[in-house]
């Protein structure tokens, strides 16, 4: 069987004026990024007649996500959108779905092999690198001391955003990462970790956080210590929601943030092509670019990315 | 050969913090004798035998078994040396069956290494039958009455095939019939050469079976006597250091008005609990100033009746009428009962009476807290004073009001339960086996106290398995059989025979 | 003698002649030993404190750990866990456990943000409503435990899920940012006090924590309610037979826990300028750890509020000193595990009964 | 009469003639009632099962819930939690708790992957080493509980952190993918059996779970060890007085829990083709829920393995039927909370003992 087979069954049933059940298997609902992805998918699906989306929450558990997909298959979904908790563990069940003839769109994190219909996702290394280059050229051209607040140890984005960042700042050897502490993606941990950093590290120039909430937490700690203007903060994700990083940039707490697109709307577009338009060959892989968001373009980006005022 | 003791304890000493529970005690046990150990509550009897049974491993002095010096690292060691113990407090596992409890720690195995359940049951049943207990060994111990549990403990000790058998108040929870059966067993064991250490507060039992009596006082040996040579008074004198004045038959005031009136009380439980005998037609009255006894065989339903009156019984449909004073009374729960001036001393002091890890003071004031507080705040000085007075009144032997109740001797624990309820100044006092495990001196004090309370107008309803106690203390004795009143015997006509006959249900017809 | 207060009369035991001077209690060794061990929960705290001073990095010759800013931060960082742990102490004393507190914190944080920002309520109504929600949630759990006789572990585990689900539904799954000002969609400026400090030294949440802690300590020392709590944990049956209103106390205790979790949630929202439904995850375990390190027995019936406060501070110091020394996160986990066990072992030095 | 061994005489239950056939036990109401309620843990399961059938969606006229594929999925999905819950049952029966199991699962998963892929070990040595690590970890925790007398909640909470930290250090923080084949950096093909099924129907992990469950059920029914476990949980003092080796049993019980958690970890790695250090988070709570729903008391001393198995299946069915009906994830949380409480309430119908 080749990869194209996956679409065959579905295309046999495809066409306009039909009802389609789309299963959206989310790795977890606890991260704002993923909640926004869910919202993007459901919102986009509302504008396609006949689309019904059901969302499951694997609560960060690979095994639960496998079960979620299997439950979808039991119900006979017409298309699967999955944002895997981790690549390898979900590969098997994704392949099972695909081999059964259910088109599969993989979001954000790839699975192994090519037993899926299409992949849409960002590139964390590239984003980290973009952030690093921003530090090297714009934020700290004279160099400086950077504290890195990293995501959950063991998670791929944390590793890749760390790696990309180091590649990005390599061009400016005067930038020094003086400490790396994890705040497990959480705002409150960002705050308490930064509390300690402020004591332990003199003269911090900037804080590179692996996501916006941790950057905001660090900002709060600095503010309590009266250092919020002396230190510059950047985050990643740039979610177009009220509690997201774009607003934080717009309101001046963060210096910059880097968009990590959810791919939700793109996934539904693709689903429409497969199910309604009966398109046979959709692009196997789409890499979503990032957008650097600073005070200059924040308001505009917020609207552009579909944020509600 | 009989001269060589099976066990010789020399210079045994044990301290608990500041308390010298045992001091330089010598004790021997020879084959085929019943060696009785007497003493007041807290004299150190249980401590001494805990040393012998390996429960207490750190102590002064030496133990010899068969002339060889031994040192036990735990109860299992003592068991292996042939020493079996029936401990004072019932230490059984509620969630295991009778058979499993009896063979705990030494389960018979099949060839596969699994427990030989049939053999275990068969042997358990045989042991129980010798004690006259017709219990299904598969029953969970938690569903047994206290008396039945006591039989299981005895059965377990017997099944250990020991050469030395220690019995710490084995009859405290038994009724007369079972006691007789136990004594028959003891006689048999004695004949087979088993040495027995027997602790009891019931003088009559000692006179019946003891070959030798050692009296402990304040942790030391006050003397060893031959019970056949010494009189009861002599022994009591040794125990308490003075003679105990006549307990019984004091002149009493005329009782007042009827305080408690129970007519046709019956409870039909929603879900019957095995082993419980709910009231099934109880008629009785108690006047203020009167002490009324409740007699009956084990399982006659005395406990359940008292619990029902206190509102602590099982739930179910209630029939009949209860009146306190001149107002009808529907027992709604302990709180409501206490508010109506009804207090209750339960028979299972450890399970239902005390917070063992908590201090004496905390236990004593628990019920009466609301009268010791202002705006919800506890008035400490008042509490301290009240506790001190209460401990003095009841002559409780405790190092301090702040030590945990668990460290008191059994009898003194009982007094704490008592003290707690008396603080409520009840009009009606319900007592379930109030002197179980209480020493003779303390018993006398409790009897005096009950008399005084009655004289001050309190109505007292008292369940007891000790007939002499009922006979001497009570103005009337109500006999229960299977949850119903079968006889009401005024003091004049209450004799041991009459009560027993009624309790056995002999004159059920008559009383109808 | 005619005492003016009838209560006193009722209390005096029957038949004691009204002696003027109370019996002098012997000043005995036990009481002294007992009192000594009351403060033993502080041992672990003091030990960790000293170690922290010793291993702290220094900067410009100043001990970083001991700098006043750092100490304030520690107390601020543990304040939410600490407040929760105070409520948890009551629950654990009656032999229960409350796993729902972290989720209730999240629910309360969402509630605070939504009510002020979306519904435009003032601070006082917001705080009252949120505290009411927390209390009602706790009381409901308590009622289920008390009425149906289900183990609190399972009831509050279910409660955890329910509270989390409700919080997510209420907030639409996303954090609700709190902006300050007079306009619509803005919260009263005063709410941001929660992220400030008094005189720039003592953070407000730390102050609240200490106030609550001291208050609870007094409650536990001096009230009849507290004695009922201990009694239920010590022997429920005996407590019931002694006339303790077991059910009511149980419900109250869970209600207190819910109330304090909601208070922690309000502080959380104030500190982070946001109400996020997923916050507070795992806080219940930290709070329980604080209580147990503080010497309270999970079996109920024994423990102290002072111990809990000490336990919370101990955990805070531990987190802080590990971060100050920039210890690798994974090593931190292992070290923290070991220290928790060591602290608990220290508690065990107290003499045991029987 | 001069019996050769005086001991025997004293003991022999006075004169039971060696009858061939065991004494016929009276068919006693009590025993029957007791036994009846032993199976009561099944009530909740059956109820949830019937409800699930009733509310299941159907597809092409077939009941989706009842389809054999779906039933197999349910058992497969609960197999890891179920295996952990079996070990947890022993721990809870002695009145303890083991919070470390989820982290040990993660550690074992990492261990399986690392040993096969990086160290190139075969399946048998890998499995043995990993099981040994889990057992040793559990036994260490048990020894701390038994020797130092620290509450198991706190010891295993620390153990949780430690195991998680070790797993992350060992794996370098990232999941280690397992590729199959003969080459270096590849695991033996046979290991992938864990993600397969027998005859394409019964998933291997489900089979292992059921086998372990039945084995444990027999152990709990028939061994002296099991009696000692119940005795320690029911009345530790009585157990000690009866000569039960309390410490040894305690250590063994925690070792069993560690062993089974490690086994679950191996299965986890096999099912997901990866050993990830963060996996298994929160599994301890699910396992405890299964045990408690199965009617085992957290106070120790009473409960059954059948109940635990039923409890695990009940949770699995619940998750499944909620998912099949596409209930919103947040609503699911609330519903699950309610059902767990209801299931626990059902257990309470059993008559109480004194
Ligand atoms: N574990 C303990 N800790 C502290 N003190 C104890 C402990 N066990 C016993 N004691 C004290 O030792 C003394 C002797 O107690 P013991 O139980 O031996 O008395 P006893 O003679 O058996 O009394 P009773 O007839 O009431 O059972 C008492 O004062 C008691 O308070
Ligand atoms: N299966 C059971 N479930 C609950 N409580 C029980 C059960 N069996 C006995 N009890 C309670 O245990 C206590 C002990 O009963 P015990 O064996 O002492 O009865 P008794 O005092 O000898 O007889 P009586 O019923 O005449 O008082 C009582 O409170 C009784 O209600
Ligand atoms: Mg004694
Ligand atoms: Mg009775």
């Amino acid at each position: 069987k080749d990869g194209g087979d996956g679409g065959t069954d579905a295309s046999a049933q495809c066409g306009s004026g039909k009802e389609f059940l789309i299963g959206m298997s989310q790795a977890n609902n606890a991260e704002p990024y993923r909640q926004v992805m869910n919202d993007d998918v459901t919102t986009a699906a509302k504008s396609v007649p006949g689309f019904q989306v059901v969302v499951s929450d694997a609560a960060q558990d690979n095994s639960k996500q496998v079960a979620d997909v299997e439950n979808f298959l039991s119900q006979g979904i017409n298309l699967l959108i999955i944002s895997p908790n981790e690549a390898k563990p979900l590969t098997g069940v994704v392949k099972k779905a695909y081999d059964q003839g259910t088109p599969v769109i993989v979001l954000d994190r790839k699975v192994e092999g090519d037993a899926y219909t299409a992949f849409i996702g960002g590139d964390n290394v590239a984003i980290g690198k973009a952030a690093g280059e921003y530090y090297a050229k714009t934020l700290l051209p004279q160099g400086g001391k950077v504290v890195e607040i990293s995501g959950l140890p063991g998670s791929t984005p944390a590793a890749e955003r760390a790696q990309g960042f180091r590649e990005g700042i390599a061009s400016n050897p005067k930038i020094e990462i003086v400490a790396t502490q994890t705040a497990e993606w959480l705002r409150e941990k960002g705050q308490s970790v930064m509390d300690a950093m402020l004591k332990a590290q003199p003269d911090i120039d900037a804080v590179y956080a692996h996501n916006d909430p941790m950057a905001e937490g660090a900002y709060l700690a600095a503010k309590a210590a009266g250092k919020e203007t002396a230190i510059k903060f950047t985050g990643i994700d740039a979610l177009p929601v009220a509690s997201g990083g774009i607003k934080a940039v717009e309101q001046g707490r963060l210096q910059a943030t880097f968009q990590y697109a959810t791919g939700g709307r793109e996934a539904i577009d693709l689903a429409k092509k497969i199910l309604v338009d009966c398109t046979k060959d959709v692009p196997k892989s789409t890499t979503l670019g990032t957008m650097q968001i600073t005070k200059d373009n924040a308001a505009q980006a917020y609207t552009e990315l579909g944020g509600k005022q | 050969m009989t001269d060589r003791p099976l066990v010789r304890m020399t210079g045994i000493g044990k301290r608990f913090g500041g308390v010298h529970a045992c001091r330089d005690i010598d004790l021997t046990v020879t084959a085929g004798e019943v060696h009785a150990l007497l003493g007041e509550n807290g004299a150190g009897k249980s401590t001494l035998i805990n040393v012998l049974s390996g429960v207490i491993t750190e102590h002064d002095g030496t133990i010899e078994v068969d002339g060889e010096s031994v040192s036990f690292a735990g109860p299992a060691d003592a068991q292996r040396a042939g020493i079996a113990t029936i401990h004072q407090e019932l230490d059984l596992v509620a969630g295991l069956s009778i058979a499993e409890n009896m063979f705990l720690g030494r389960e018979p195995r099949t060839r596969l290494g699994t427990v030989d359940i049939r053999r275990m049951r068969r042997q358990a049943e045989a042991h129980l039958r010798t004690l006259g207990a017709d219990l299904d060994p598969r029953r969970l111990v938690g569903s047994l009455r206290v008396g039945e549990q006591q039989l299981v403990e005895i059965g377990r000790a017997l099944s250990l095939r020991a050469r030395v058998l220690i019995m710490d108040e084995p009859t405290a929870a038994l009724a007369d019939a079972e006691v007789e059966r136990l004594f028959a067993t003891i006689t048999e064991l004695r004949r087979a050469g088993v040495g027995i250490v027997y602790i009891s507060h019931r003088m009559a039992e000692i006179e019946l079976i003891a070959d030798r009596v050692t009296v402990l006082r304040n942790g030391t040996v006050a003397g060893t006597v031959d019970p056949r040579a010494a009189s009861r008074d002599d022994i009591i004198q040794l125990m308490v250091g003075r003679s105990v004045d006549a307990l019984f038959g004091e002149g009493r005031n005329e009782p007042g008005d009827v305080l408690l009136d129970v007519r046709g009380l019956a409870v039909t439980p929603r879900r019957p609990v095995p082993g419980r005998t709910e009231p099934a037609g109880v008629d009785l009255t108690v006047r203020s100033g009167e002490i009324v006894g409740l007699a009956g065989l084990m399982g006659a339903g005395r406990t359940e009746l008292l619990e029902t009156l206190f509102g602590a019984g099982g739930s179910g449909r209630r029939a009949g009428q209860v009146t306190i004073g001149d107002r009808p009374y529907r027992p709604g729960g302990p709180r409501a009962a206490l508010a109506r001036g009804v207090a209750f001393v339960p028979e299972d002091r450890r399970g239902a009476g005390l917070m063992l890890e908590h201090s004496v003071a905390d236990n004593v004031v628990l019920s009466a807290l609301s009268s010791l507080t202002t705006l919800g705040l506890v008035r400490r000085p008042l509490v301290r004073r009240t506790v001190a007075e209460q401990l003095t009144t009841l002559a409780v032997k405790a190092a301090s009001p702040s030590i945990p109740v668990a460290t008191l001797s059994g009898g003194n624990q009982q007094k704490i339960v008592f003290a707690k309820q008396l603080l409520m100044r009840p009009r009606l006092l319900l007592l379930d086996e109030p002197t179980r495990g209480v020493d003779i001196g303390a018993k006398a004090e409790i009897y005096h106290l009950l008399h005084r309370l009655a004289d001050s107008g309190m109505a007292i309803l008292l369940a007891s398995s000790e007939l002499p106690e009922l006979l001497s203390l009570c103005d009337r004795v109500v006999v229960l059989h299977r949850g119903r009143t079968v006889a009401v015997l005024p003091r004049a006509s209450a004799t041991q025979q009459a009560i027993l006959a009624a309790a056995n249900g002999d004159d059920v017809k008559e009383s109808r | 003698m005619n005492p003016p207060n009838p209560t006193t009369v009722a209390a005096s035991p029957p038949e004691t002649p009204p002696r003027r001077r109370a019996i002098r209690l012997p000043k005995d060794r036990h009481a002294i030993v007992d009192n000594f061990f009351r403060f033993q929960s502080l041992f672990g705290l003091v030990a960790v404190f000293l170690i922290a001073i010793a291993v702290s990095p220094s900067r410009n010759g100043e001990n970083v750990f001991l700098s006043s800013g750092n100490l304030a931060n520690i107390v601020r960082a543990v304040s939410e866990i600490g407040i929760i742990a105070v409520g948890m102490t009551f629950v654990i004393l009656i032999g229960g456990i409350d796993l729902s507190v972290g989720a209730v914190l999240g629910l309360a944080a969402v509630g605070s943000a939504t009510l002020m920002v979306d519904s435009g309520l003032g601070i006082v109504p917001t705080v009252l409503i949120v505290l009411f929600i927390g209390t009602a949630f706790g009381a409901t759990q308590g009622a289920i435990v008390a009425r149906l006789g289900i183990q609190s572990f399972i009831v509050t585990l279910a409660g955890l899920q329910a509270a989390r689900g409700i919080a997510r539904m209420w907030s639409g799954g996303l954090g609700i940012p709190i902006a300050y000002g007079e306009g619509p969609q803005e919260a009263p400026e005063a709410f941001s006090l929660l992220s400030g400090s008094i005189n720039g030294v003592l953070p407000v949440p730390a102050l609240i924590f200490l106030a609550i802690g001291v208050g609870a300590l007094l409650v536990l020392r001096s009230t009849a309610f507290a004695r009922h709590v201990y009694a239920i944990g010590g022997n429920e049956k005996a407590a019931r037979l002694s006339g303790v209103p077991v059910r009511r106390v149980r419900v109250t205790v869970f209600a207190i826990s819910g109330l304090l979790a909601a208070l922690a949630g309000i502080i959380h929202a104030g500190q982070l300028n946001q109400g996020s439904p997923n916050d507070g995850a795992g806080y219940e375990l930290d709070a329980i750890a604080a209580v147990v390190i503080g010497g309270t027995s999970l079996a109920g019936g024994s423990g102290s509020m002072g111990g809990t406060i000490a336990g919370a501070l101990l955990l805070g110091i531990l987190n802080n000193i590990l971060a100050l020394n920039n210890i690798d996160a994974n090593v931190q986990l292992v070290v923290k595990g070991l220290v928790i066990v060591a602290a608990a072992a220290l508690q065990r030095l107290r003499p045991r009964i029987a």
Side-chain angles (χ1 to χ4, degrees), chain A residues 223-247:
Chain A
K223 190 168 175 217
K227 293 193 179 168
E228 76 270 27
T229 44
I231 303 175
K232 300 185 169 73
F233 301 86
T234 68
I236 291 177
D237 278 353
L239 296 177
V241 293
S243 54
I246 303 182
K247 283 283 173 198

Side-chain angles (χ1 to χ4, degrees), chain B residues 85-98:
Chain B
T85 311
I86 300 165
H87 288 279
Q88 177 172 15
E89 309 297 349
L90 295 168
D91 275 315
L92 294 167
V93 183
L96 292 182
S97 72
I98 293 176

Side-chain angles (χ1 to χ4, degrees), chain B residues 45-47 88 168-169 199 409-410:
Chain B
K45 305 180 294 292
S46 298
T47 305
Q88 177 172 15
D168 195 351
E169 303 194 33
I199 301 177
S409 74

Side-chain angles (χ1 to χ4, degrees), chain B residues 117-175:
Chain B
I117 295 171
R118 284 153 178 255
R119 183 142 57 104
M120 204 164 74
R121 283 185 190 153
R122 210 163 50 226
Q123 294 185 0
E125 195 171 50
H127 286 300
L128 287 172
R129 191 144 1 89
T130 53
L131 292 167
D134 186 22
L135 295 171
D136 184 332
R138 290 173 298 184
R139 272 181 68 184
L140 296 184
V141 158
S143 73
L144 298 181
R145 321 183 130 260
V146 174
E148 290 168 342
Q149 293 188 10
Q150 184 97 60
L151 290 174
V152 172
E153 282 255 21
I154 296 170
R156 177 171 72 189
L158 293 182
S159 73
L160 274 170
R161 319 180 157 207
R163 293 180 304 150
V164 177
L165 183 57
I166 304 170
M167 307 175 124
D168 195 351
E169 303 194 33
T171 56
L174 295 188

